[in-house]
Each structure stands twice: as structure tokens, then as C-alpha cells.
Amino acid sequence: MSRSRQPPLVTGISPNEGIPWTKVTIRGENLGTGPTDLIGLTICGHNCLLTAEWMSASKIVCRVGQAKNDKGDIIVTTKSGGKGTSTVSFKLLKPEKIGILDQSAVWVDEMNYYDMRTDRNKGIPPLSLRPANPLGIEIEKSKLPQKELEMLFHGMSADFTSENFSAAWYLIENHSTTSFEQLKMAVTNLKRQANKKSEGSLAYVKGGLSTFFEAQDALSAIHQKLEADGTEKVEGSMTQKLENVLNRASNTADTLFQEVLGRKDKADSTRNALNVLQRFKFLFNLPLNIKRNIQKGDYDVVINDYEKAKSLFGKTEVQVFKKYYAEVEAGIEDLRELLLKKLLETPSTLHDQKRYIRYLSDLHAPGDPAWQCIGAQHKWTLKLMQDCKEGHMKSLKGNPGPHSPMLDLDNDVRPSVLGHLSQTASLKRGSSFQSGRDDTWRYKTPHRVAFVEKLTKLVLSQLPNFWKLWISYVNGSLFSETAEKSGQIERSKNVRQRQNDFKKMIQEVMHSLVKLIRGALLPLSLREGDGRQYGGWEVQAELSGQWLAHVIQTIRLTYESLTALEIPNDMLQIIQDLILDLRIRCIMVTLQHTAEEIKRLAEKEDWIVDNEGLTSLPCQFEQSIVHSLQSLKGVVECKPGEASVFQQPKTQEEVCQLSINIMQVFIYCLEQLSTKPDADIDTTHLSVDVSSPDLFGSIHEDFSLTSEQRLLIVLSNCCYLERHTFLNIAEHFEKHNFQGIEKITQVSMASLKELDQRLFENYIELKADPIVGSLEPGIYAGYFDWKDCLPPAGVRNYLKEALVNMIAVHAEVFTISKELVPRVLARVVEAVSEELSRLMQCVSSFSRNGALQARLEICALRDTVAIYLTPESRSSFKQALEALPQLASGADKKLLEELLNKFKSSMHLQLTCFQAASPTMMKT
């Protein structure tokens, strides 16, 4: 046979596996030019030409027949192309056995089936007919005796239709040697059967849809043919006969299967009813079980049983079920009331609150129990805060001591965030601030401080759980998953509506906390209407700066703890305002107390002078201020979110004025010490620095200080204050971020200089006036006359006496402070030179001898005190010499020089003090 076309080529088949008589679609190339060109079609070796339907040169539809091979090629043969080839294969599956009661979309070959009722040794009821091999794999009978199996599985059965079916017995009996892979296939078969059963009639119709369409097409074609022939309604026609045959077949089938199907339906109904009763028999015991579980506190069990009963019997129409279900609902209602009561009880832990809310949510309790709990917790917190204040006030009235009650630090169970508060206020301020205190003073906490600590501890114990309860309410974690899904929309509306209400609750707690603290520590900052509710403390003495700093640290830690809860800053701003007011108050009180303590420093002046002419008073003063500023270091420093205490001009001005007041108080102390009468000076404790020379030779005999010596000591201290102490204090103020330092320093320096000048003038007046007053009587002693006098034989005694008095002043000043010597002697020399100049100018005329005597004495004095001369004293000496006549001859000059040398030589020892190293002249 000659071929004019290429041989057929099969490139695809759909589906590629199936049981016999499965309808498949073959696709490929050169599958024939028409139905008559197709002369052969085999699938897995079976001829399928009879069922083949040629559609096009690339598509053929047919049904797979019975074949010996499980898998094979699809071979198409045509007249034009000959025998073809295939690039795909088809897998033939074994057909499932269809029972006599199973539905089928195709006609079943009854020759391949047998009656299952005769397949067993013992009789089986018709209603329990099931496939003999439910696993769908080859059965391999076990050789174990039946009696041993019955003894091994006592009371069980290998029949999978029995209620006491034992899977292990069945597998031992039928599949003892089956491989694991075969058992895995059996599991797959069981899943397929279960899915097929669940799909029901729909799967049956879907599986046989093509068969229904073919039958419909065939019937429609027959009907059209009969209509065309006109034989549709002719009596005795083929249509009529076919109808009669079908009716008889239907009636016969109904007769055969009606009784069987009826009994099957009845048995299934009975079995289902018994299964339901067996499964939900707990309903009859549920009311009693609910009461018992409620008494034991097993609320989870009660809720689970209730949900189970509600899903099964919530909409039942059975009267018995309705009766018992009504008792269950009554018990659940009692449980709702009990849980709500427990939820609103205070105090309660957050864990218990969440648990009760979740229970009520699961039980679909009416209203909003979570919000009721939040409201109850809010009222409870406010009540605790007010009770805390009342309790401390009662304790204060019962025991009015300033240092009670004792703060129990050992038994303090507060969280660690406040556990170290009692140790933060270290009041160690130096020896002058620790007198009269023992080691236990730090544990004696004032009532108001103890109240603030207990109040903040209370808030920190309540507010975190209160805030977490709200967060859980917002995000829905309070509710179970079921309740969350059912009430999510309604709850989101409630959250939006109640967000402002909760914000008001938090603000009310914060306002109450702040007002209670203000009532205890800052009562003047409260409004008139709040004084009675939040104030009323009987304040006997104001808290010290150290205790206020301790309170500030307590409130700061409270603020940090609340911030850690992620509470919005706008709700906590009122606490920041309180901290700022307390910081300002602490600074004011500390500076005021510092001024009081410095005022008492005058009582502790020991008048012990060191090598530099200083007592311990300037050092004590500086230490007092430094310790005060150090105690304020933590108060002045700004923590995160805090404002500077000096941001308000009014505060700056007040702090500056208090700082100036401290300096002026000390200056006043110095003035008081310098003017205190001798009888008021306690010198019994006087001593001298053992490392210094014996500077108090004249003092040690009677251990007393004169007013002039006290003036010198105070002047020495003033000089040191001006050059060192005040500048150091200004640096400390600047280091601690104080404002207005320039003004403080300027005003303080001005006051100090004014005191220094006043005291200096007083001392000069005491020392210079006697020397100046002795000059004129000494000059004219013995009726001395400048016009008529003997030739000069040396310096007269009045001048020597003045120099001795000046040496005494030098010794007194040098004993106290070397640095004061130039300043004092320069001023004394000015006074003496001025007086001497006045006296010389008052002389009307000088004789030759008188002029030479006057010039000798003036030059002797000038040369002796040369290192202490100032422009003023130089001018006075010059004026005095200009008032004298000039020397007439060289002999006079020579005599003058000889007499000067004689004077200096004879008084060399006395004048040594005027020949010491000359320090820089101090400005008077």
C-alpha cells in the first residue's frame, strides 16, 4: 500500500490513566483525513476502534477497553499514513468493585461480580454489607489460629463493621506479611474512599456526566426521528413498547430494592440516633457537673462543656434536651454573676482580672465587664491614695514627734526602682553639720517624706497593672480568640468612645497624686478649694533641703517608672511641673538654711592663726557653700524631659538674691567678730600652729586678744576672701549652672571691700593717732625753739619714740599677717609724714641750727621708712623739706651726713624691721 502522508504520531492523551471504559481524548499529528481513513486504534494493546470517534487530523475521542497490560502506548493506524507511533503512554487502573447498592454511571458487567453474602463462612446481615477488602490491597491471610487471636483481643472483633472493631486484629489476620509501602497505599485508598463518600451524589453525577450527556443525546435523536416519521403516538409502535419496557424495569427495580433500602435507611437512622445519644450523654449530667466544677474553681471546664452543649443543643426542638439545656443556662447565669463579682473585687492581681474577663467574654456576659473592671480599679486607686493621706495624718496627730514614724527599710517590699531611695539623700556635710546626730538619723524619716514615699509606692504598685489592663483591653488580648472574632467590631467602637474616658481616669490619678504631694510639701501652691481635700498638714517645721532632694529623687524615679509603661507624656506633664516646683523650693530652702548655718559660724571662730595670718573661718565658709551646692547638684541637673530651674527670670532673681544674702551674712559675721567686746571673746581654747614660729610671744602669757589684734585677723581674712574664697565660690556657682554669678560676685566684693576699708581705717585710727599726737609735744619738749637752739648733736628722742611705736605696730601686724605690714605701715607713715609736714610749715622761721636739726630729723625718718613710702608720704616729706631753709655751706651738709650715719648705726637693731624685703605696696 502506498502512503502519501506521514505516519500518525500521538503526542498527548487526557486523562493519562483510568479504569476500563474511561473516555479519553487523543491528540497528535496526521491522525487521518477523515473517519474512513482511521482503520486502527489500540491502547495498552486493546483494540478501541469500535468506540473511536474521529474529530480532526489532530484529535480522536474513544473509550479504553479491557486490557491485559497495565501500561502501554497509543497506536493509531490510517490508510494514508499507515501504523503510527506514540510519545506518551496510558496507565490502566484496576476497576473498583461496585456493590449491589452502589450507584454507577455506566452499566456494570455483572459477570465480574459475586454475591458478597456468600463470600464468608458465617452469615452477615444484609444491612452490614461492605466491600470485602476495605484497604484496597491484596489480602494475605495469617496462619495464626483464630482462638489465639480471640484470646489476644478479648471482647474485640476483626469485622470492620462491628462496634468493637480492632484494627490491630484485622491487620494481623489479613495483612501480617504486607510490606510498609503496601500499607501506605492502603492509607491512600482509605482517604480516597472517605473523600468519595463525603462528596456523595454530586461526585457520582460529576463522574458520570459524559454518560448522561450521551444518553440524553441518544434519546433526543430518537425523539426527533420518531417525530419526523410520525410514529411517536401510534399504538404498538416502538416508542410505546420501549416506554412499557422501561416502566416495568423501573417497577421491578423498585420492588427488588425498596424493602432493602427502607431497612437500610431505618437502620442508619437508628444507628445515628444512638450515636448522638451516646456522644452527648454528658448533657444529662451537665447541670450537676457545672455546679461541682464551679465549687472547685474549674471554670475552663465549665465553659468548654457549655460551648459544646450550646453548639449541639442550643437550637434543639427536642423537649427533653430543652429542659436540660435550660438548667445549664441557669447555672451559667449564676457563674456569670459570680465571675463579675470576683472581677470587681479589690484588691486583685492583673492575672486574675484578665482570667475573669476572659471567662466572662467566653460566656458572652452582657455589658462590658472589662470596662467595669477598669472603672473599679480606678476608683480603688483613688481611694487608696486618699486613705494613705488620712492614715499618715492620724499617725502624725497621735505621735507629733518630728522624726516619726520610723521608716522600715528592712521590710520594704517595694520594687527595685524605689528600693534605694532611702540611701540617695546623703546628708554628710562636714563636721559643722553633724553635731548632735548619731548614726541612725538617716532612718528617722519625717512624716511628710514617709507619706510621699508610701504614696508613690502605692501608685507604682497600682498604676502599671491599671495601664496594662487598658492596653490589653485596646488590643483585644483580654478576650479569647472566639470572643475576639465575634465582638471585634463592637469592641473597636467601644475603644474609640472610651479612649477619652480612660485618659480622664489617668489624668485624675495623676492630678490626685500631684495635689496630695503639693498639699504635704507645697501647700501654698494649692487652690483654695483643694486645700481641705489634699492639704491640712500640721507643719511644725519646714523640711530641710536634703529631705526635699530626697523627695525629688523619689518622684523622679516614679516618673521614670511611669514613662517606662509608655504612658503619653502629656498625661505625665503635671508630674514634671511638680518636680520643677520642688526643685525650685529645694534650692530656696537650702540657700536659706545655708545662710542660717553661716550666721552661726561666728560662734565657732577659734582665732587660731596659721602662717598666712588666716583662721579656719574662710575655709569653713567656703566648705559650707560647696557642700550646699553639692547637695543641690542632683536637684539643679535636668533629667530627660525636665526644664531648667533657672528658666524663669523670677527664680533667677530670687536665687541670686539668696546667694548674695549668704555672702553678706558672712561679711556681717566678720564685722561682728571685729567689733565684739573683749569680754565676749572666749580665748580659753587659743593655741598656736605648732608648725609655725612663736608668733604670739606677748599673747601666750594671758591667752587674750586685743581688739586691735582681732581687727588685724579679720582684715587678714578679708584679704584672703577677696583674693581667693569669693572667686572660688563664684567658680562653684558657675560649675553648678547658677545664674547671675557676675552680679553675686560684684555685690559681694563691694560689700567685702567696704568692710575691709572700714576696719582698716579703724585700725589705722587706733595705731596712727597716738603716734601722730606724740610728735608735736615731743618736738617742743623742754621749750624747744627752732629760732634759738643749739647745734644738732643727733636725732632727738621724740622721733626715736615715734619710730619705736611704729616698730611696735610693725611687730603686731607682722605677728598676725606679713602681707598686711606694708599696707598698715605705709598708711601710718603717711599720717606721720603729713603731721610732720604740717608742723614744719607752721614754723615761722628757722635759725641755722634749727634748720639743720629739722632737716636731720626729717631725713632720718624718711630714710628709715623708705620702703613704706607712698606718693602721698613722699609729697609730705618734700613739702616739709621745702619749708626749711637751704643748707648754707658744705660743712652743714657734712655734719648732716655724719649725724644721719650715726643715727642709723646706733639704732641698727631697732631699724632692722624697716629693712626687710620690700613687698609690693598695697593700695590703701
Side-chain angles (χ1 to χ4, degrees):
M1 184 191 316
S2 62
R3 294 192 297 270
S4 59
R5 297 176 63 85
Q6 294 291 330
L9 176 63
V10 177
T11 59
I13 184 169
S14 177
N16 58 3
E17 63 179 10
I19 61 174
W21 308 114
T22 299
K23 188 174 184 179
V24 298
T25 300
I26 301 171
R27 298 185 182 276
E29 301 174 359
N30 306 318
L31 300 183
T33 59
T36 57
D37 191 36
L38 183 63
I39 60 175
L41 176 60
T42 59
I43 299 177
C44 296
H46 185 270
N47 188 2
C48 302
L49 184 61
L50 294 178
T51 61
E53 182 180 356
W54 186 90
M55 307 299 293
S56 67
S58 59
K59 179 179 178 181
I60 298 175
V61 178
C62 70
R63 287 187 178 274
V64 180
Q66 294 283 354
K68 296 180 180 180
N69 300 326
D70 292 342
K71 189 173 183 179
D73 295 334
I74 302 96
I75 305 301
V76 177
T77 306
T78 60
K79 293 179 181 180
S80 58
K83 187 175 182 180
T85 58
S86 173
T87 61
V88 296
S89 61
F90 183 83
K91 182 178 181 181
L92 190 65
L93 303 177
K94 293 183 179 180
E96 296 181 0
K97 293 184 179 181
I98 301 176
I100 59 176
L101 300 180
D102 294 336
Q103 297 175 334
S104 176
V106 298
W107 186 258
V108 179
D109 187 1
E110 297 181 0
M111 294 178 61
N112 296 329
Y113 290 82
Y114 55 93
D115 190 352
M116 295 178 62
R117 290 174 294 181
T118 62
D119 192 43
R120 302 247 179 163
N121 294 329
K122 55 183 180 179
I124 301 176
L127 290 179
S128 64
L129 292 179
R130 292 292 186 274
N133 185 11
L135 299 182
I137 58 177
E138 186 177 355
I139 296 177
E140 299 177 2
K141 289 292 184 178
S142 174
K143 298 180 180 179
L144 291 175
Q146 189 72 19
K147 291 184 178 180
E148 291 185 7
L149 291 173
E150 291 177 354
M151 292 176 63
L152 185 61
F153 300 98
H154 181 71
M156 308 301 288
S157 172
D159 183 6
F160 58 85
T161 63
S162 173
E163 292 183 359
N164 300 325
F165 171 68
S166 173
W169 187 352
Y170 178 82
L171 291 174
I172 292 173
E173 184 178 16
N174 297 287
H175 299 283
S176 59
T177 60
T178 303
S179 65
F180 183 70
E181 294 297 328
Q182 289 292 322
L183 292 176
K184 288 171 66 176
M185 291 179 58
V187 173
T188 304
N189 293 336
L190 284 175
K191 290 181 179 179
R192 188 183 296 114
Q193 292 178 18
N195 294 335
K196 183 177 179 182
K197 184 176 180 181
S198 63
E199 290 177 359
S201 300
L202 180 61
Y204 156 71
V205 173
K206 288 169 64 178
L209 195 61
S210 60
T211 305
F212 285 117
F213 286 159
E214 291 177 0
Q216 175 65 24
D217 292 341
L219 291 175
S220 177
I222 295 173
H223 181 69
Q224 292 177 0
K225 181 67 175 174
L226 292 175
E227 280 186 342
D229 295 342
T231 60
E232 181 183 4
K233 298 181 180 180
V234 178
E235 186 68 26
S237 62
M238 183 180 67
T239 305
Q240 187 69 34
K241 292 179 181 179
L242 180 58
E243 182 181 359
N244 294 335
V245 171
L246 291 176
N247 287 334
R248 286 198 303 273
S250 176
N251 292 334
T252 304
D254 290 342
T255 303
L256 289 174
F257 290 97
Q258 186 172 12
E259 184 178 357
V260 176
L261 293 175
R263 288 199 303 271
K264 177 178 178 297
D265 293 341
K266 185 176 181 181
D268 290 342
S269 299
T270 304
R271 188 180 300 106
N272 291 337
L274 291 174
N275 288 337
V276 170
L277 292 176
Q278 180 68 22
R279 180 181 178 187
F280 297 106
K281 64 181 180 180
F282 78 97
L283 177 65
F284 301 107
N285 298 324
L286 190 55
L288 181 59
N289 290 337
I290 287 177
K291 292 181 180 179
R292 290 176 178 175
N293 290 327
I294 289 176
Q295 292 175 355
K296 292 189 295 183
D298 294 338
Y299 304 125
D300 290 311
V301 177
V302 175
I303 293 173
N304 291 336
D305 289 345
Y306 172 67
E307 290 293 338
K308 188 176 180 180
K310 183 178 180 180
S311 63
L312 294 174
F313 304 101
K315 298 181 181 180
T316 184
E317 297 296 332
V318 181
Q319 293 299 322
V320 176
F321 290 170
K322 281 186 175 182
K323 178 180 178 181
Y324 279 91
Y325 185 72
E327 294 185 16
V328 171
E329 285 287 0
I332 294 299
E333 185 61 32
D334 294 339
L335 176 60
R336 291 192 187 105
E337 295 177 359
L338 175 64
L339 291 175
L340 184 60
K341 182 179 178 182
K342 287 181 173 292
L343 175 63
L344 300 182
E345 283 181 355
T346 51
S348 179
T349 63
L350 179 63
H351 173 73
D352 289 340
Q353 290 172 346
K354 287 185 175 182
R355 192 160 57 95
Y356 294 142
I357 291 172
R358 191 170 290 111
Y359 289 153
L360 289 169
S361 175
D362 290 339
L363 293 175
H364 306 287
D368 194 346
W371 181 251
Q372 294 177 9
C373 177
I374 292 174
Q377 191 70 21
H378 170 245
K379 294 179 181 178
W380 169 251
T381 303
L382 293 177
K383 182 177 182 299
L384 286 179
M385 295 168 68
Q386 199 65 32
D387 291 346
C388 178
K389 176 213 167 190
E390 294 175 0
H392 272 270
M393 293 189 71
K394 289 180 181 179
S395 175
L396 181 61
K397 292 178 181 178
N399 186 8
H403 295 300
S404 59
M406 298 289 285
L407 182 61
D408 187 3
L409 298 181
D410 295 334
N411 298 325
D412 191 1
V413 295
R414 203 178 333 185
S416 59
V417 71
L418 286 178
H420 65 284
L421 283 180
S422 59
Q423 302 175 1
T424 59
S426 177
L427 305 181
K428 191 173 183 181
R429 294 284 310 279
S431 60
S432 62
F433 295 87
Q434 296 178 0
S435 59
R437 289 180 176 173
D438 55 19
D439 292 337
T440 62
W441 70 271
R442 67 183 67 237
Y443 300 107
K444 297 176 182 178
T445 307
H447 265 84
R448 289 178 290 163
V449 176
F451 162 69
V452 173
E453 288 193 346
K454 186 173 181 181
L455 182 65
T456 53
K457 172 184 174 182
L458 186 151
V459 171
L460 286 181
S461 65
Q462 297 294 324
L463 202 59
N465 290 341
F466 183 57
W467 179 260
K468 291 175 184 177
L469 187 65
W470 164 254
I471 296 299
S472 301
Y473 178 79
V474 172
N475 59 30
S477 60
L478 279 177
F479 312 95
S480 65
E481 185 176 354
T482 304
E484 185 178 0
K485 292 179 180 178
S486 61
Q488 187 173 3
I489 298 177
E490 181 181 357
R491 221 174 32 255
S492 62
K493 295 179 180 179
N494 292 339
V495 168
R496 287 193 297 268
Q497 294 172 356
R498 288 168 177 165
Q499 207 158 14
N500 291 332
D501 296 337
F502 181 78
K503 185 176 180 180
K504 292 179 181 178
M505 289 182 180
I506 291 290
Q507 290 175 342
E508 187 175 359
V509 173
M510 294 295 103
H511 279 81
S512 181
L513 171 65
V514 169
K515 288 179 180 179
L516 286 171
I517 296 177
R518 285 185 181 275
L521 304 179
L522 303 171
L524 298 179
S525 64
L526 288 176
R527 298 177 181 176
E528 295 182 2
D530 296 334
R532 179 175 298 179
Q533 181 179 359
Y534 299 103
W537 291 84
E538 296 179 1
V539 180
Q540 296 181 353
E542 189 172 13
L543 289 177
S544 65
Q546 291 81 7
W547 281 118
L548 285 174
H550 177 80
V551 169
I552 290 170
Q553 180 68 5
T554 302
I555 300 176
R556 277 175 167 173
L557 292 174
T558 303
Y559 177 81
E560 292 175 5
S561 300
L562 296 177
T563 305
L565 297 175
E566 298 182 356
I567 297 178
N569 290 331
D570 58 336
M571 296 185 183
L572 302 178
Q573 183 59 40
I574 188 174
I575 298 182
Q576 287 285 20
D577 297 339
L578 170 64
I579 293 175
L580 179 60
D581 291 347
L582 285 174
R583 290 166 64 200
I584 294 174
R585 185 59 186 165
C586 180
I587 293 174
M588 301 296 182
V589 170
T590 300
L591 294 179
Q592 290 171 1
H593 287 184
T594 303
E596 294 294 328
E597 291 167 352
I598 289 175
K599 186 182 297 184
R600 294 192 292 270
L601 285 181
E603 303 171 3
K604 301 175 184 179
E605 174 60 282
D606 52 13
W607 300 103
I608 299 177
V609 182
D610 61 11
N611 289 333
E612 297 180 1
L614 304 174
T615 65
S616 62
L617 204 60
C619 183
Q620 290 183 24
F621 170 63
E622 183 177 353
Q623 287 179 356
S624 298
I625 293 182
V626 169
H627 289 155
S628 296
L629 293 178
Q630 287 178 348
S631 69
L632 291 175
K633 182 178 180 181
V635 176
V636 175
E637 287 181 352
C638 295
K639 299 294 182 181
E642 293 182 356
S644 172
V645 291
F646 302 112
Q647 65 178 355
Q648 297 294 335
K650 180 181 178 182
T651 305
Q652 293 182 21
E653 183 62 29
E654 290 179 356
V655 172
C656 180
Q657 193 59 44
L658 286 172
S659 301
I660 293 174
N661 182 52
I662 291 174
M663 313 292 273
Q664 291 179 337
V665 164
F666 185 67
I667 294 172
Y668 177 76
C669 288
L670 294 176
E671 185 175 6
Q672 292 297 311
L673 287 172
S674 66
T675 59
K676 184 178 290 188
D678 294 344
D680 294 342
I681 301 298
D682 181 13
T683 58
T684 58
H685 60 284
L686 272 178
S687 62
V688 183
D689 190 348
V690 295
S691 64
S692 64
D694 187 0
L695 304 179
F696 288 100
S698 62
I699 299 177
H700 294 164
E701 296 178 1
D702 54 3
F703 296 101
S704 62
L705 286 176
T706 64
S707 59
E708 292 88 348
Q709 289 172 332
R710 290 203 307 274
L711 274 175
L712 285 173
I713 293 173
V714 174
L715 278 172
S716 178
N717 286 337
C718 287
C719 292
Y720 184 81
L721 288 171
E722 182 180 355
R723 294 197 305 269
H724 298 93
T725 305
F726 276 20
L727 298 179
N728 294 341
I729 290 174
E731 292 180 0
H732 286 295
F733 276 129
E734 185 175 3
K735 180 180 177 182
H736 289 82
N737 299 322
F738 272 58
Q739 304 295 318
I741 301 173
E742 184 177 351
K743 180 180 178 181
I744 296 173
T745 305
Q746 183 178 358
V747 175
S748 303
M749 284 291 190
S751 300
L752 181 64
K753 289 179 180 179
E754 181 184 354
L755 173 64
D756 177 82
Q757 188 63 28
R758 191 164 63 250
L759 296 179
F760 181 74
E761 294 293 341
N762 292 340
Y763 183 77
I764 295 300
E765 183 179 350
L766 291 173
K767 293 299 179 180
D769 286 357
I771 299 175
V772 170
S774 66
L775 289 178
E776 186 173 2
I779 290 174
Y780 296 106
Y783 301 100
F784 179 82
D785 188 359
W786 298 107
K787 298 178 183 179
D788 183 15
C789 62
L790 297 174
V795 176
R796 290 185 293 168
N797 289 335
Y798 83 92
L799 187 60
K800 294 179 180 179
E801 183 182 352
L803 286 173
V804 169
N805 290 333
M806 292 174 66
I807 292 172
V809 173
H810 180 284
E812 184 178 61
V813 177
F814 188 86
T815 302
I816 302 299
S817 174
K818 303 184 184 85
E819 295 182 359
L820 283 177
V821 171
R823 181 183 179 192
V824 173
L825 285 184
R827 187 60 181 273
V828 172
V829 169
E830 283 183 7
V832 172
S833 63
E834 183 180 354
E835 177 65 15
L836 194 59
S837 174
R838 184 186 68 80
L839 292 174
M840 293 299 105
Q841 291 176 5
C842 291
V843 178
S844 58
S845 63
F846 291 90
S847 65
R848 178 173 174 273
N849 291 334
L852 187 60
Q853 182 71 42
R855 187 175 294 277
L856 172 62
E857 292 172 353
I858 293 172
C859 290
L861 178 61
R862 184 191 62 183
D863 294 344
T864 300
V865 297
I867 62 174
Y868 299 115
L869 291 179
T870 63
E872 289 80 3
S873 58
R874 291 179 190 277
S875 176
S876 297
F877 280 118
K878 182 179 179 182
Q879 290 175 6
L881 291 174
E882 288 176 351
L884 302 177
Q886 297 296 324
L887 293 177
S889 64
D892 291 340
K893 293 181 180 180
K894 184 177 179 181
L895 178 61
L896 176 63
E897 186 176 351
E898 290 176 355
L899 292 175
L900 282 174
N901 290 334
K902 180 181 177 182
F903 166 75
K904 293 177 183 179
S905 176
S906 62
M907 295 193 66
H908 174 73
L909 180 62
Q910 290 83 352
L911 301 181
T912 304
C913 64
F914 297 115
Q915 297 174 5
S918 59
T920 305
M921 294 295 179
M922 298 186 66
K923 188 177 179 181
T924 53

